[in-house]
Amino acid sequence: MHTTPPTPQTRVPMSRIYLFALIELAALGALVTPLVVSLSLKVLQLVPESQKEGALGLVTALGALAALVANPIFGHLSDRTRSRFGRRRPWLIGGVVGGVLAAVLMAVAPSIPVLVVAWVLSQAAYNATLASLSALLADQVPEEQRAKASGIFGAIGFLGMVPAMLVAAFFASNLTIVVLAMPIVAVIIVAIVCLVIPDPPIERVDGERGSIAQVFRAFLFNPAKAPMFTLVWVQRATMQFGFTVVSTFGLFYLMIRLDMDQVAAASLTSTAALAGAALNFVAAFACGYLASRRGNYAPFIIGSALLMALSLLLKAFTQDLSVFWVSTLLAGFALGAYYAVDLALAMRTLPVGEEGKYLGIFNVAKTLPQSIAPAIAPLVVLIGGSDPVVGGEKNYTALYLVAAAAVLASMLTLPGLRRVLRRDVYDAGRTTAAASAAQKEEVA
């Protein structure tokens, strides 16, 4: 048993939420820069041209696995940290400092194995920052502001690639600067923000002890004891699966369906990604504010799922460029609208005292489909023989139909989430639970 701060009730200044979002932007910028450019450039320094795809795939795959493991672990550890600096701040700062050290190792790496170690450490370090930041939101942002915060964070998440692209554009000829610039900026930003944001220390309770076994328990939760959290997790995973199909296979889709060469398809894919990110930003920001005012997340979840499914269905049955653009923009808006409320909804289902751990597990619902979708897609495109739209042995209609079915299936979780979808019902449930707990204490 351990103490935790009560669910925050007092509204916080919006400036504090924006400072939290600034930490997110700094950490994501430092994490995305290698994925955009520096890892590829480093791999080209270390292996022959013919081996670059395999080497880069190995590095990024092991890094993704590290992120998958690190987020719940560091969220769990931050729940149990008892220091005079607070319980989240040590991990916020420690993560970005570790990220700089990993970046230095990446810059000087003489071989692919050393580069793998550097990238794994980098993923682990920045996920320590991101996991503790999510927990800090749960600690300090009250219910009526959480959708607004979720929308801001959703919008900031899509901006994470902008610093990476700027660094790559201005310093492409100097790999050391590309590798180190954003990690150093992240340390400066996070250190300054941590000086001004509150994070009061929590005293240790007798009998509370840390152990290696507790670290492994970061991955364990009983779905029966947290049924609504489980439903929100499944909902996010299925939505993310659908969007991953859209984003991952856009290049191949254009080459097959629109008969483009690789250069033209790559150019259009990049342009479409930027347009989608712009709509992600607008939708997440606007829908976050609307959801915060309404307190009812169901319309945003249903609307985003229907729009995402429509986007996938359009791509499944067309080879027209204008329809491709409509589909891309629909998907961008849909995901932004969903990210405006998914974190806020998850925070309504967190077990008290384990916010960091469960938010870490919740983040796995976003990263895991990014590994699963590319792995099963080669099997799905073989379903049913040739593509009914353009022929050929790869059935992209089947791929997009499977993704659309997954997205629509995400709405099956809504009946089980009735108690947390609307703020009035959620608040009434909390009041009843608090009264019941107080009555039990009186009896005891």
Side-chain angles (χ1 to χ4, degrees):
M1 181 70 181
H2 54 278
T3 61
T4 60
T7 302
Q9 301 294 332
T10 305
R11 291 177 64 88
V12 299
M14 286 303 300
S15 59
R16 188 184 303 176
I17 295 176
Y18 283 113
L19 286 173
F20 291 162
L22 188 58
I23 294 177
E24 174 99 341
L25 180 62
L28 285 177
L31 196 56
V32 169
T33 303
L35 291 172
V36 171
V37 63
S38 55
L39 275 179
S40 298
L41 294 175
K42 187 65 183 181
V43 166
L44 287 173
Q45 284 187 352
L46 299 177
V47 300
E49 178 82 14
S50 60
Q51 300 177 20
K52 64 181 186 300
E53 291 87 0
L56 183 61
L58 175 65
V59 174
T60 55
L62 292 177
L65 180 61
L68 202 67
V69 172
N71 209 291
I73 285 181
F74 287 112
H76 180 73
L77 291 175
S78 74
D79 285 337
R80 283 153 178 74
T81 297
R82 307 292 181 259
S83 80
R84 61 192 182 94
F85 301 107
R87 54 178 185 161
R88 313 299 185 190
R89 270 192 297 227
W91 300 101
L92 292 173
I93 296 176
V96 291
V97 170
V100 167
L101 297 178
V104 172
L105 182 60
M106 191 184 304
V108 301
S111 64
I112 291 298
V114 176
L115 184 61
V116 167
V117 172
W119 183 233
V120 165
L121 292 175
S122 180
Q123 284 276 13
Y126 288 116
N127 273 276
T129 295
L130 294 171
S132 50
L133 177 61
S134 295
L136 195 63
L137 276 177
D139 291 345
Q140 298 192 16
V141 179
E143 161 59 31
E144 61 269 23
Q145 289 180 284
R146 284 179 172 176
K148 194 178 295 183
S150 181
I152 292 170
F153 268 66
I156 289 295
F158 298 118
L159 288 180
M161 69 174 65
V162 174
M165 295 174 72
L166 292 175
V167 169
F170 285 107
F171 303 104
S173 61
N174 192 322
L175 181 57
T176 301
I177 293 179
V178 173
V179 171
L180 295 178
M182 282 308 302
I184 292 173
V185 170
V187 169
I188 296 170
I189 289 175
V190 174
I192 292 173
V193 173
C194 283
L195 289 175
V196 298
I197 59 173
D199 182 25
I202 304 296
E203 293 185 1
R204 187 181 298 276
V205 174
D206 291 341
E208 184 184 40
R209 296 289 185 272
S211 68
I212 297 297
Q214 283 187 343
V215 173
F216 287 104
R217 283 165 53 189
F219 301 98
L220 302 178
F221 76 98
N222 186 345
K225 292 185 177 180
M228 285 185 288
F229 172 82
T230 303
L231 290 174
V232 174
W233 192 98
V234 170
Q235 184 185 88
R236 183 176 192 169
T238 50
M239 279 290 292
Q240 188 65 42
F241 177 87
F243 182 73
T244 299
V245 169
V246 173
S247 58
T248 303
F249 298 96
L251 177 68
F252 298 156
Y253 176 90
L254 291 173
M255 293 173 66
I256 293 173
R257 283 290 180 85
L258 276 70
D259 196 28
M260 289 184 170
D261 60 43
Q262 183 173 337
V263 174
S267 176
L268 182 55
T269 299
S270 299
T271 304
L274 289 174
L279 269 180
N280 291 155
F281 180 86
V282 171
F285 204 90
C287 292
Y289 272 79
L290 288 174
S292 187
R293 294 173 66 89
R294 290 175 56 89
N296 182 4
Y297 301 158
F300 299 91
I301 294 171
I302 294 171
S304 60
L306 291 176
L307 285 178
M308 181 66 77
L310 177 59
S311 166
L312 290 161
L313 291 172
L314 286 174
K315 281 191 176 178
F317 295 105
T318 189
Q319 57 183 125
D320 184 88
L321 180 59
S322 60
V323 177
F324 165 82
W325 272 109
V326 171
S327 171
T328 298
L329 296 178
L330 283 175
F333 189 90
L335 196 67
Y338 182 73
Y339 280 173
V341 298
D342 72 325
L343 178 59
L345 180 61
M347 284 194 283
R348 287 180 176 177
T349 67
L350 301 176
V352 175
E354 297 186 283
E355 293 86 352
K357 167 186 171 177
Y358 275 79
L359 283 171
I361 294 172
F362 180 65
N363 285 333
V364 171
K366 184 177 181 179
T367 55
L368 189 60
Q370 295 171 356
S371 300
I372 293 176
I376 69 171
L379 301 177
V380 176
V381 295
L382 298 177
I383 295 175
S386 64
D387 190 305
V389 177
V390 295
E393 60 183 14
K394 301 296 177 62
N395 189 347
Y396 271 74
T397 296
L399 179 63
Y400 283 93
L401 287 178
V402 168
V407 168
L408 291 173
S410 72
M411 292 191 291
L412 296 176
T413 62
L414 293 178
L417 295 171
R418 286 191 300 269
R419 286 187 291 162
V420 294
L421 287 171
R422 290 173 44 188
R423 182 182 298 145
D424 54 349
V425 177
Y426 171 67
D427 286 342
R430 283 198 302 169
T431 301
T432 302
S436 176
Q439 186 176 17
K440 288 181 180 178
E441 286 185 6
E442 289 179 4
V443 172

